[in-house]
Amino acid sequence: MNQTTDKAVSAAQAGEVDTIVNFKPAYITMGVMLVFYVGIRIYEQYFGWKAGLDSFAPEFQTYWMNLMWTELPLEFVAFCAIGGYLWKTRDRNIDAVAPREEMRRILTLIGWLAVYAFSVYWGASYFTEQDGTWHQTVIRDTDFTPSHILEFYLSYPIYIICGWGAFMYAHTRIPQFSKRISLAFLMFFAGPFMIFPNIGLNEWGHTFWFMEELFTAPLHWGFVFFGWFALAVFGVARQVLDRVIELSKEYEKDALAL
Amino acid sequence: MTGKSLDIPARRYTGEKARLSRAYDYLILVLALFLFIGSFHLHVALTVGDWDFWQDWKDRQWWPLITPLMMITFPAAVQAVLWPNFRLPLGATLCISCLLIGTWITRFFAYHMWNFFPINEVLPATMLPSALVLDAILMLSNSLTVTSIFGGMAFALLFYPTNWPIFGMFHVPVEYGGAQLTVADIFGFQYIRAGTPEYLRIIERGTLRTYGQYATPLSAFCSALLCTLMYPLWWYLGKAFATTKYVKNI
């Protein structure tokens, strides 16, 4: 009895020094993302009206097409860099990961997922529905409207990069996700990812089939289908929680092998 | 797992253990909040968006038919995980709240502040009362069948009455250029939409087979029937997405 108490006390003290729960990097990333998107929103307030109404005008090139030619390569580089970095720094001896360290990594993964979720909010909610109102403001003369440049080619790639980062983090750091592929996690990442190629169909359809701007048109339902895959977050959550329960069972004994 | 284990007095989690368990609450709630604002809003905007965006699409026939049908989807799927696994009786309300947060932010900051549509023209419909009833029925009955039948029906039937206080005032008739219009129609005519000619609206135009004033209740009951089917479909879809399977390779 005494021994257990001592151990619990020492574990609690050590817990103060060696924290497991640290969402600070996730909060900072989300904060940066918030500032970035608010900045984008202010930018479009000015340059949507000033330079975004006529895609044949030179100022459209300056303020909108240049934005697109900048963001796309940057996103491609970021996608490769994040995946490459996480793979390069992978845990090569993942079987040896201690329970306490595993718990810490799982919580880091939750930070990644929170960032992913936040980026999905901006892409799938704000910028998607925002496009509905820009559809009613211009008679489109290009696929690359200001709203599309921000929605399809900025906010969607960003959440795909976040999802890819979360997936790769789990795949390279956490034993349960590294040896086998979690089906839920795969759907959770790949479903929203598939929205990106679906944009091709969408742009093609709008360009070559004469369509009025019905937002609920069947052409848009591909986005809906792939959006459902976000529900797989609960599969990931259940897998994580199963593991957390396993790890926690021993908690009183050794405070996650501190 | 005998009666004995219950004799241990309950103790509050403290210190690191408490921090850990709260950290996992984030996993369920904060993460789900942002994710479902995103994905459920995407789903709704692209399936019932036009009815939800514009005042002059909110008619008696199509709007009360399609809105509950498309909005019972994610609530059912999320309930299928949160109730059986965590006994959290808030799946539907969580989804609908997420949706309303997402739509309100966009209606205000994009429709209104960016493109200057008056906010009264782009008010979103609410399903909150329906969602509360759906959650309550699942919590009290703990039964998929009972919730499908009574919850699904209530979800659809409550839609029009609970939205009426918001939207009724826009149905006031106005004589405009010698024609009779509603205030909602005038919004549509007055605040020009580049891509929505009047004929594009999918709204009730009357048929020779419609009797009297019964368009709304008929739509509501049609929707109620479909919702009772949609609910279990999406319940199992939610369960399928929440799989804990692993695969060897992809």
Side-chain angles (χ1 to χ4, degrees):
Chain A
M1 185 67 206
N2 221 356
Q3 206 181 6
T4 324
T5 322
D6 286 352
K7 261 202 152 178
V9 168
S10 67
Q13 282 167 347
E16 293 302 319
V17 185
D18 178 32
T19 49
I20 305 190
V21 185
N22 179 17
F23 283 139
K24 212 186 262 174
Y27 288 146
I28 291 172
T29 314
M30 287 156 87
V32 169
M33 199 180 278
L34 178 73
V35 171
F36 173 72
Y37 279 129
V38 168
I40 288 288
R41 173 67 188 77
I42 293 169
Y43 182 90
E44 73 180 2
Q45 185 78 29
Y46 287 102
F47 295 109
W49 289 102
K50 195 179 160 206
L53 295 176
D54 177 3
S55 75
F56 293 92
E59 63 266 25
F60 194 90
Q61 296 294 322
T62 313
Y63 292 106
W64 289 105
M65 293 313 283
N66 283 343
L67 180 63
M68 197 175 78
W69 300 130
T70 313
E71 70 197 16
L72 281 177
L74 280 181
E75 286 149 11
F76 181 71
V77 169
F79 185 89
C80 298
I82 285 179
Y85 173 80
L86 287 170
W87 179 251
K88 195 82 186 139
T89 56
R90 69 190 181 276
D91 188 347
R92 285 160 198 266
N93 190 14
I94 202 155
D95 289 325
V97 59
R100 192 175 172 81
E101 177 61 18
E102 187 176 344
M103 188 70 105
R104 183 185 291 116
R105 290 180 189 183
I106 289 174
L107 284 159
T108 309
L109 173 67
I110 289 165
W112 271 101
L113 294 178
V115 169
Y116 180 40
F118 193 56
S119 62
V120 166
Y121 160 70
W122 284 98
S125 173
Y126 185 77
F127 285 105
T128 295
E129 199 181 274
Q130 174 193 273
D131 194 40
T133 175
W134 197 252
H135 278 207
Q136 303 301 338
T137 299
V138 293
I139 303 217
R140 188 192 331 203
D141 51 1
T142 170
D143 287 338
F144 307 113
T145 61
S147 180
H148 278 198
I149 286 172
L150 302 177
E151 179 198 6
F152 292 151
Y153 308 107
L154 183 75
S155 68
Y156 286 14
I158 285 177
Y159 82 62
I160 286 168
I161 291 166
C162 294
W164 168 238
F167 183 80
M168 283 301 285
Y169 182 87
H171 189 58
T172 55
R173 305 293 196 275
I174 299 171
Q176 76 191 107
F177 294 121
S178 74
K179 286 179 207 147
R180 305 162 294 174
I181 306 272
S182 151
L183 191 59
F185 211 145
L186 184 67
M187 292 197 290
F188 183 42
F189 161 61
F193 179 90
M194 284 305 292
I195 287 177
F196 192 65
N198 194 62
I199 292 165
L201 165 72
N202 183 61
E203 300 286 42
W204 178 279
H206 278 297
T207 309
F208 294 106
W209 306 326
F210 184 77
M211 295 188 68
E212 283 158 314
E213 301 283 14
L214 197 66
F215 213 60
T216 52
L219 188 63
H220 287 162
W221 293 350
F223 297 123
V224 174
F225 176 75
F226 291 119
W228 296 347
F229 285 69
L231 287 168
V233 66
F234 286 130
V236 181
R238 286 174 63 200
Q239 286 172 332
V240 163
L241 292 177
D242 283 347
R243 183 66 188 142
V244 168
I245 290 166
E246 274 173 31
L247 288 171
S248 304
K249 273 183 186 152
E250 304 295 311
Y251 192 94
E252 274 84 0
K253 275 194 215 149
D254 59 7
L256 300 172
L258 194 69
Chain B
M1 281 298 138
T2 55
K4 237 183 174 179
S5 60
L6 294 173
D7 297 337
I8 302 166
R11 273 181 305 158
R12 283 170 61 87
Y13 280 0
T14 52
E16 186 178 53
K17 207 172 169 187
R19 233 171 297 151
L20 260 175
S21 81
R22 273 176 216 134
Y24 286 106
D25 292 344
Y26 274 81
L27 175 67
I28 301 301
L29 291 176
V30 175
L31 212 151
L33 177 81
F34 285 124
L35 206 64
F36 293 135
I37 298 181
S39 57
F40 188 33
H41 190 187
L42 180 79
H43 167 96
V44 167
L46 298 177
T47 51
V48 291
D50 297 285
W51 286 274
D52 202 49
F53 301 157
W54 311 109
Q55 198 64 257
D56 60 338
W57 281 66
K58 292 185 169 65
D59 72 328
R60 306 192 305 173
Q61 187 180 340
W62 292 97
W63 178 54
L65 174 69
I66 294 173
T67 311
L69 185 61
M70 284 299 150
M71 288 196 190
I72 202 172
T73 50
F74 273 57
V78 171
Q79 279 187 340
V81 181
L82 290 190
W83 178 249
N85 290 300
F86 303 101
R87 281 291 181 264
L88 280 174
L90 48 71
T93 313
L94 175 75
C95 283
I96 296 294
S97 308
C98 287
L99 176 70
L100 280 175
I101 293 168
T103 43
W104 267 105
I105 291 175
T106 320
R107 297 300 155 80
F108 185 74
F109 286 103
Y111 282 71
H112 183 57
M113 297 295 281
W114 192 27
N115 292 335
F116 311 114
F117 290 106
I119 203 74
N120 270 344
E121 190 187 4
V122 294
L123 290 175
T126 182
M127 298 265 3
L128 262 185
S130 300
L132 288 165
V133 170
L134 192 64
D135 274 335
I137 290 177
L138 179 64
M139 182 178 74
L140 294 173
S141 73
N142 188 21
S143 155
L144 171 61
T145 310
V146 171
T147 313
S148 296
I149 297 171
F150 296 101
M153 276 173 59
F155 192 81
L157 293 178
L158 284 172
F159 173 66
Y160 206 85
T162 53
N163 276 276
W164 181 250
I166 307 174
F167 297 104
M169 60 178 165
F170 302 110
H171 293 203
V172 172
V174 178
E175 190 188 320
Y176 186 81
Q180 192 191 50
L181 301 175
T182 64
V183 173
D185 285 327
I186 291 185
F187 277 139
F189 293 143
Q190 201 70 36
Y191 302 102
I192 307 290
R193 286 165 297 189
T196 305
E198 191 193 344
Y199 63 82
L200 196 68
R201 291 185 292 166
I202 301 172
I203 54 167
E204 183 198 12
R205 284 140 208 262
T207 71
L208 288 178
R209 294 172 186 276
T210 310
Y211 295 104
Q213 290 294 312
Y214 297 124
T216 310
L218 287 176
S219 272
F221 273 102
C222 181
S223 190
L225 173 63
L226 293 173
C227 278
T228 59
L229 304 173
M230 201 70 151
Y231 184 84
L233 179 72
W234 275 81
W235 176 281
Y236 286 113
L237 212 53
K239 278 221 180 298
F241 275 119
T243 174
T244 51
K245 280 205 186 86
Y246 291 91
V247 289
K248 211 64 199 131
N249 43 28
I250 53 170

